[in-house]
Amino acid sequence: MRLCAWYLYGEKHRGYALNPVANFHLQNGSVMWRINWMGDTSPRGIGASCGMMVNYRYFLEDTATNSAAYLGTQQIQASEQVLSLVSQFQQNSKL
């Protein structure tokens, strides 16, 4: 879960999220909301993401601000759950 959070939040391509689905939602002003262990247990989900799934949440009053922040400064809006997992990864990673 920590590695997944880091991949979605911290791995970048030209300053933007490396994952194309994350990049799409973040460009549209979403918040990286929750990572779900075994959220997709289909064969494709297991093969593509070890069964993990992420939820993006759209707060309509914040989408324009979030989108502008992401596109302008590559700032990703994320929930405390995601940020906690990222922090745990950074503290424990040997990468």
Side-chain angles (χ1 to χ4, degrees):
M1 296 260 305
R2 294 183 302 245
L3 182 59
C4 178
W6 176 253
Y7 167 70
L8 294 169
Y9 183 86
E11 292 298 320
K12 309 287 179 154
H13 175 69
R14 297 184 182 159
Y16 298 103
L18 181 62
N19 181 273
V21 174
N23 193 47
F24 169 81
H25 287 289
L26 295 167
Q27 284 182 24
N28 287 307
S30 72
V31 174
M32 194 175 289
W33 191 248
R34 183 175 55 217
I35 297 174
N36 303 291
W37 177 255
M38 298 308 283
D40 184 355
T41 58
S42 70
R44 183 172 181 225
I46 297 293
S49 63
C50 298
M52 286 184 255
M53 181 181 284
V54 62
N55 295 117
Y56 295 92
R57 189 164 178 188
Y58 288 85
F59 295 97
L60 296 181
E61 64 277 4
D62 297 328
T63 55
T65 303
N66 292 347
S67 178
Y70 182 67
L71 294 171
T73 63
Q74 294 86 33
Q75 178 183 356
I76 294 175
Q77 298 298 317
S79 71
E80 288 298 318
Q81 187 243 19
V82 173
L83 293 175
S84 175
L85 288 167
V86 168
S87 177
Q88 291 171 40
F89 173 82
Q90 290 174 318
Q91 290 172 1
N92 297 309
S93 174
K94 296 184 188 213
L95 295 178

